[in-house]
Amino acid sequence: MSVSRQKKVYLPTATRKNQYISVGFPLTDAYLANYADLESCYLESSKVIYQVAEKYELFNVHVIATDKLPMVRYHSEAYCLSTEEQLRFFYNPAHHEANRLHSIAGYRAKKIKIVFLATGTELRSNSATFHANVQKFIAEIKTLLPLNDLAVKVRDHQHISYDFFAKHKGIKETYGYKLRAVDNRYKRRECNLPEDVSALNYVTVSLPIGRRIKKQLLAENTTNFAPSYQHVADKFIAATKERQLFRVAMVANGKVPLVRNSKFEQLNSTAEFQMVGFDPNVDAPEPILHWQDDKLAEAIRFVIVAGKNDANDEGFGRFMNQIEEAIKSFTSQFDIDKEHIDLIVRFHQHLSYKV
């Protein structure tokens, strides 16, 4: 493979793209004192937020006052599913716009979080403009809401997702991605970021456990699945290690893995989320493995985190090519119905900072 080709990863043309930015601040007594009551606080704040957002061409805006974590995915229809800990937004960026307040009667949130879902058709090309518009929104909203000296946290989430087995389903055409680092992309498009930005890049892979997989990977009539899980983990770790991918995790306990930079954030798992912490500066940490010996998971989820050496001036193309090779090696050891099973690979790029 030529050097120039190594810097790109060729993914199916059906690859989906998402971007959303959250802006959060604590709901303090001082903030709340400016309103008649809790409900008025939420309604009046959200009204101002929507007005300012419209000014900066931010057309899909959600105000969250439930302390639930937003999760965003592509879908042809727009809807929101709520669990005890999550708000799952499904939408098509090319078609769907919304302004919505998510609150619970009588519940005082610890934080108010504003979530901006990217709209349009060229999300990656326009990601810097989208972020710059959110920055302009923050600058103006701080003069209109009683934020005073409250710390405002900005989180920018971008990901692309695709079915690793797309070719087996007849999707033959591909497109080359360099996958440049977010801060480099923004700098080239004159979207300025603070110096103390925390960035994290990683890949998740979700393998559903259907009947065919179950018969090979997991013994059906047993109450102890630990040996089977360890068998899968060993093969995954071997495949990634051979491609010089050392920051890996496997989660098979029914929880959604949340990847965080362990250098800056505390890691507290919950009933729905499995916190997975990596310091990108540590070259070869021990693999992180989470499962329940007596629980058969509906899906096994794998995580591969990029380190400082995995990015170059061109981007993460080489890193993704290594992952593609590792996944191919790993899955080739099992009999998988590639024409019907979707093995979803998702490349995440996150950055966060305070303003």
Side-chain angles (χ1 to χ4, degrees):
M1 184 182 292
S2 67
V3 174
S4 61
R5 189 173 177 85
Q6 286 179 351
K7 293 179 179 179
K8 287 186 178 181
V9 59
Y10 289 83
L11 304 180
T13 51
T15 294
R16 304 296 189 186
K17 306 172 187 67
N18 283 99
Q19 181 181 11
Y20 64 101
I21 299 175
S22 67
V23 176
F25 56 87
L27 180 56
T28 63
D29 291 340
Y31 185 97
L32 192 56
N34 291 274
Y35 302 93
D37 52 35
L38 186 62
E39 183 179 1
S40 299
C41 173
Y42 294 155
L43 291 175
E44 293 177 26
S45 295
S46 61
K47 183 178 180 179
V48 175
I49 288 168
Y50 301 146
Q51 290 174 343
V52 178
E54 180 82 14
K55 180 179 178 180
Y56 295 108
E57 300 182 341
L58 302 166
F59 301 128
N60 203 326
V61 184
H62 298 260
V63 178
I64 300 176
T66 60
D67 293 323
K68 296 183 180 183
L69 186 70
M71 304 286 285
V72 179
R73 297 291 184 262
Y74 176 93
H75 201 277
S76 57
E77 297 182 28
Y79 58 96
C80 177
L81 296 178
S82 179
T83 71
E84 287 294 320
E85 301 179 20
Q86 304 174 56
L87 279 178
R88 295 184 174 183
F89 296 100
F90 297 86
Y91 83 117
N92 182 340
H95 302 298
H96 298 141
E97 300 175 357
N99 285 336
R100 183 176 173 185
L101 169 63
H102 304 264
S103 62
I104 301 172
Y107 177 79
R108 176 175 171 175
K110 298 176 182 177
K111 293 182 179 180
I112 291 180
K113 186 172 291 186
I114 311 163
V115 177
F116 304 91
L117 307 184
T119 55
T121 56
E122 301 295 331
L123 298 193
R124 288 187 73 83
S125 298
N126 296 325
S127 61
T129 300
F130 178 51
H131 192 101
N133 286 343
V134 171
Q135 290 179 322
K136 296 173 185 175
F137 165 89
I138 295 172
E140 182 165 340
I141 206 72
K142 291 184 78 171
T143 67
L144 300 175
L145 294 181
L147 293 175
N148 299 318
D149 296 326
L150 290 180
V152 176
K153 185 69 172 288
V154 180
R155 294 181 183 269
D156 189 325
H157 305 259
Q158 300 176 39
H159 55 255
I160 60 175
S161 57
Y162 63 97
D163 177 14
F164 187 77
F165 298 138
K167 288 184 179 180
H168 297 272
K169 299 178 179 67
I171 303 174
K172 304 295 185 181
E173 295 183 0
T174 61
Y175 181 82
Y177 293 85
K178 289 185 177 180
L179 301 177
R180 290 188 177 94
V182 174
D183 51 354
N184 290 341
R185 277 193 279 137
Y186 285 6
K187 187 180 298 183
R188 294 182 182 185
R189 297 180 181 270
E190 299 182 348
C191 174
N192 297 318
L193 299 173
E195 293 184 0
D196 57 343
V197 169
S198 174
L200 195 60
N201 302 271
Y202 62 94
V203 168
T204 58
V205 183
S206 181
L207 176 64
I209 304 301
R211 285 185 304 164
R212 187 161 162 177
I213 297 294
K214 190 188 301 181
K215 290 180 180 179
Q216 300 167 71
L217 306 187
L218 304 171
E220 294 186 69
N221 300 314
T222 182
T223 57
N224 181 17
F225 301 106
S228 298
Y229 285 138
Q230 188 65 60
H231 175 69
V232 176
D234 290 342
K235 290 185 177 298
F236 172 69
I237 293 168
T240 51
K241 187 176 181 180
E242 185 178 350
R243 274 76 184 178
Q244 304 300 302
L245 301 167
F246 301 111
R247 302 169 188 84
V248 301
M250 176 178 134
V251 177
N253 56 10
K255 298 182 182 182
V256 177
L258 276 188
V259 184
R260 293 291 184 261
N261 189 326
S262 59
K263 184 177 179 180
F264 299 108
E265 301 192 45
Q266 293 183 342
L267 305 176
N268 296 314
S269 295
T270 66
E272 296 184 17
F273 294 110
Q274 181 65 60
M275 304 302 287
V276 179
F278 286 93
D279 183 346
N281 296 312
V282 177
D283 290 333
E286 288 295 317
I288 297 175
L289 307 175
H290 291 284
W291 61 69
Q292 289 181 228
D293 294 353
D294 60 346
K295 183 174 182 179
L296 183 60
E298 294 182 358
I300 298 178
R301 297 178 172 89
F302 305 94
V303 178
I304 308 169
V305 178
K308 295 181 68 174
N309 295 331
D310 291 314
N312 55 44
D313 292 338
E314 294 296 328
F316 290 93
R318 180 177 177 275
F319 171 67
M320 280 300 296
N321 279 317
Q322 289 174 291
I323 288 176
E324 287 261 311
E325 292 171 2
I327 297 174
K328 183 177 181 180
S329 173
F330 171 67
T331 56
S332 68
Q333 300 177 67
F334 306 104
D335 179 22
I336 299 176
D337 184 2
K338 299 175 183 178
E339 294 182 1
H340 298 94
I341 293 295
D342 290 346
L343 186 74
I344 300 301
V345 180
R346 187 170 280 111
F347 174 63
H348 299 255
Q349 292 184 283
H350 291 181
L351 62 81
S352 61
Y353 58 89
K354 293 181 179 180
V355 293

